[in-house]
Amino acid sequence: FGQPCSIQKNLYLQLQESMLSSASGFKNYRGILNWCVVMLVLSNARLFLENLLRYGILVDPIQVVSLFLKDPYSWPAACLVIVSNVFIFVALYTERKLAMGSISEKVGLLIYIFNLTVILCFPMVVVLKLPSITPVGGAFALGVYTILFLKLYSYKDVNRWCRERTQVKALSNTMTSDDRRTYMYYFVFAPTLCYELNFPRSESIRMGFLLRRLFEMVGNCTLFNSVKPVFILQEMDYSRMTERLLRLAVPNHLIWLIFFYCFFHSSMNFVAELLRFGDREFYRDWWNSETITYFWQNWNIPVHKWCLRHFYKPLLRRGAGKLLSQSAVFFASAFFHEYLVSVPLRMFRLWAFMGMMAQLPLAWFVARFLRGNYGNAAVWLSLIIGQPIAVLMYVHDYYVTHCQDDPTITEAL
Ligand SMILES: CC(C)(COP(=O)(O)OP(=O)(O)OC[C@H]1O[C@@H](n2cnc3c(N)ncnc32)[C@H](O)[C@@H]1OP(=O)(O)O)[C@@H](O)C(=O)NCCC(=O)NCCS
């Protein structure tokens, strides 16, 4: 007791923080993550069994197909997707003419603007006018067209940048029309929105990796069987609405997390592995976001990279301020969110648009007033509560406009 340090032979005690206190700087929570996964699997297995015993198999294949098709002999959404090839060929043809110098840059730009405008308007008109398209089929077709719009926009920009640097002359000499077509279709199917003249490629297809991702996709789809949100929305007073919102929040959040894993990890990696596409950065650690800005920079990397390269940085380079450029990106994103929800539902309510635009003041508020774990909790809260607000609004409005008088739908809800 009280001896100088040099006299103590073994130093078992030292000045240090407990691991779970944030001052310790300890960050490896891998074991806790595994515990969460084990608990999630166990509790879902119980819920899955309970639901199976009580309701039977909820995922009825006929019901799933009827989400996409009203009539098994008419496939309007699939036809719409097949027609999208026309726009790919217009872009290819325009680029070939531009590379050969047969048309001027101005004419090329006009054709591109026309092509890109039609890509957005044509499916919208078809979905709004054709009663045989279901909301899910319409959302799928519009999703494909939106991705194609972003890809062809990138294709246009990159080829122009290369022409400006006179590289494309060399490329046009080495590439035949068949090569161009093959490369274009590789880009169309590749899990990226940003065009490159040389995509990074992995060496081979790893069968084990491919099968694991496939297994995850199938497994995650069966998980939906255990999540059954309840929407009974007649007589919506505010206290009932809040109760419904809180009841909806957890299953909605679970569905969103399963969707995130299934889409951004399993299926994108599956496609990338099949195509030997090398860049697998589809998401970063958004779950550690302490600000809303960090969340948007890290949760959907393909869209974020497209926004930076083709919209945000060009605006900054033209002298627009940072706030204006950020607002413009969020405005465009809000437009696409609304487009993808309102058109298939044939109902224009602007909830998705407002939800996306609300990210700007929310980002300012969180960055200004909250730090560290409080900021992280605020990001999680905005995800857990914010999304079901929009979902609830759409479900309520859809129910009121389409289903109130339909006893079969009322019963299903
Ligand atoms: C708007 C958005 C693009 C801003 O991104 P950000 O990363 O916060 O932007 P920053 O201001 O930090 O700058 C990003 C880049 O621009 C560069 N930059 C900043 N100011 C610049 C200027 N004046 N001139 C040129 N470049 C500039 C930075 O150097 C940085 O470059 P880097 O990526 O090579 O490091 C982003 O928030 C976003 O993607 N939002 C929309 C997301 C979305 O809608 N997703 C939909 C998912 S469903």
Side-chain angles (χ1 to χ4, degrees):
F1 183 75
Q3 283 176 333
C5 280
S6 55
I7 299 176
Q8 292 180 6
K9 291 237 165 71
N10 297 315
L11 266 178
Y12 285 115
L13 299 181
Q14 48 182 302
L15 194 68
Q16 57 185 334
E17 297 284 350
S18 304
M19 264 188 182
L20 288 181
S21 87
S22 50
S24 73
F26 178 76
K27 291 226 165 69
N28 185 358
Y29 290 103
R30 186 89 218 160
I32 306 239
L33 191 71
N34 287 337
W35 172 79
C36 289
V37 173
V38 171
M39 289 300 283
L40 200 72
V41 170
L42 278 183
S43 56
N44 270 297
R46 187 198 63 76
L47 206 65
F48 180 78
L49 265 177
E50 192 183 305
N51 277 353
L52 203 68
L53 293 173
R54 193 180 292 177
Y55 304 110
I57 294 179
L58 292 177
V59 183
D60 173 4
I62 297 180
Q63 251 184 24
V64 172
V65 172
S66 72
L67 285 177
F68 289 88
L69 303 172
K70 270 190 185 152
D71 169 5
Y73 298 104
S74 152
W75 295 46
C79 293
L80 204 54
V81 171
I82 292 168
V83 170
S84 67
N85 283 288
V86 173
F87 303 102
I88 299 173
F89 276 96
V90 171
L92 260 171
Y93 186 74
T94 311
E95 209 42 60
R96 216 179 97 208
K97 291 283 170 203
L98 278 167
M100 290 188 316
S102 320
I103 55 173
S104 67
E105 286 292 329
K106 232 180 193 166
V107 174
L109 182 65
L110 281 176
I111 299 175
Y112 265 123
I113 291 175
F114 180 75
N115 198 32
L116 291 171
T117 312
V118 179
I119 287 181
L120 288 186
C121 297
F122 167 70
M124 182 176 83
V125 173
V126 174
V127 170
L128 288 178
K129 294 278 171 212
L130 213 67
S132 60
I133 293 195
T134 62
V136 177
F140 173 74
L142 286 179
V144 170
Y145 271 82
T146 304
I147 291 172
L148 193 63
F149 171 87
L150 298 173
K151 286 192 182 231
L152 293 187
Y153 191 98
S154 174
Y155 180 73
K156 165 191 86 71
D157 268 2
V158 173
N159 280 313
R160 181 171 52 81
W161 295 335
C162 292
R163 262 196 314 282
E164 281 165 8
R165 290 178 211 150
T166 64
Q167 281 176 10
V168 92
K169 280 249 175 325
L171 184 83
S172 63
N173 292 339
T174 53
M175 267 188 155
T176 64
S177 320
D178 277 353
D179 289 342
R180 275 177 182 279
R181 213 173 305 139
T182 314
Y183 197 66
M184 175 63 129
Y185 272 96
Y186 180 84
F187 171 52
V188 166
F189 286 104
T192 177
L193 298 172
C194 291
Y195 183 71
E196 297 270 320
L197 292 186
N198 281 303
F199 290 112
R201 304 291 297 273
S202 51
E203 281 191 353
S204 59
I205 299 176
R206 296 164 292 175
M207 280 318 279
F209 182 88
L210 201 68
L211 289 175
R212 272 203 304 281
R213 300 292 81 85
L214 188 65
F215 177 74
E216 280 169 6
M217 285 194 282
V218 176
N220 278 330
C221 286
T222 59
L223 259 184
F224 283 110
N225 195 41
S226 59
V227 188
K228 193 190 181 210
V230 185
F231 306 108
I232 305 165
L233 299 160
Q234 301 104 316
E235 307 146 31
M236 288 285 272
D237 57 69
Y238 283 108
S239 51
R240 244 178 104 80
M241 217 162 160
T242 313
E243 190 267 331
R244 289 280 161 225
L245 174 71
L246 294 177
R247 200 194 281 202
L248 189 65
V250 173
N252 176 80
H253 187 59
L254 279 180
I255 291 175
W256 183 76
L257 286 178
I258 295 170
F259 160 78
F260 165 76
Y261 192 84
C262 198
F263 186 73
F264 285 96
H265 187 72
S266 309
S267 46
M268 281 194 155
N269 266 300
F270 181 81
V271 175
E273 192 67 22
L274 260 186
L275 296 176
R276 296 203 291 109
F277 184 78
D279 188 345
R280 310 286 173 96
E281 195 190 41
F282 305 125
Y283 56 86
R284 290 193 286 247
D285 65 332
W286 58 264
W287 46 87
N288 289 327
S289 305
E290 292 176 6
T291 60
I292 300 287
T293 317
Y294 187 88
F295 173 80
W296 289 112
Q297 286 164 342
N298 293 286
W299 110 269
N300 182 341
I301 294 296
V303 169
H304 175 63
K305 278 187 179 162
W306 188 95
C307 289
L308 274 182
R309 191 197 203 193
H310 297 289
F311 201 2
Y312 185 65
K313 286 188 184 177
L315 276 178
L316 288 173
R317 278 197 294 269
R318 281 174 195 201
K322 210 166 157 164
L323 185 66
L324 181 70
S325 308
Q326 271 174 357
S327 309
V329 174
F330 276 98
F331 183 85
S333 180
F335 164 79
F336 279 110
H337 277 83
E338 189 62 39
Y339 174 81
L340 289 171
V341 178
S342 292
V343 177
L345 291 178
R346 300 182 178 100
M347 199 177 68
F348 295 88
R349 291 293 187 280
L350 293 185
W351 299 123
F353 183 87
M354 289 192 289
M356 206 57 207
M357 287 311 283
Q359 299 304 308
L360 285 167
L362 188 65
W364 173 83
F365 178 83
V366 173
R368 175 85 177 74
F369 295 108
L370 302 167
R371 291 267 175 287
N373 287 338
Y374 293 104
N376 185 242
V379 174
W380 278 114
L381 258 184
S382 78
L383 293 173
I384 296 170
I385 303 289
Q387 280 176 6
I389 292 181
V391 173
L392 195 68
M393 293 303 189
Y394 279 106
V395 172
H396 173 257
D397 291 357
Y398 191 79
Y399 174 80
V400 168
T401 36
H402 292 83
C403 320
Q404 215 164 20
D405 303 326
D406 187 338
T408 54
I409 296 176
T410 310
E411 200 181 309
L413 287 171

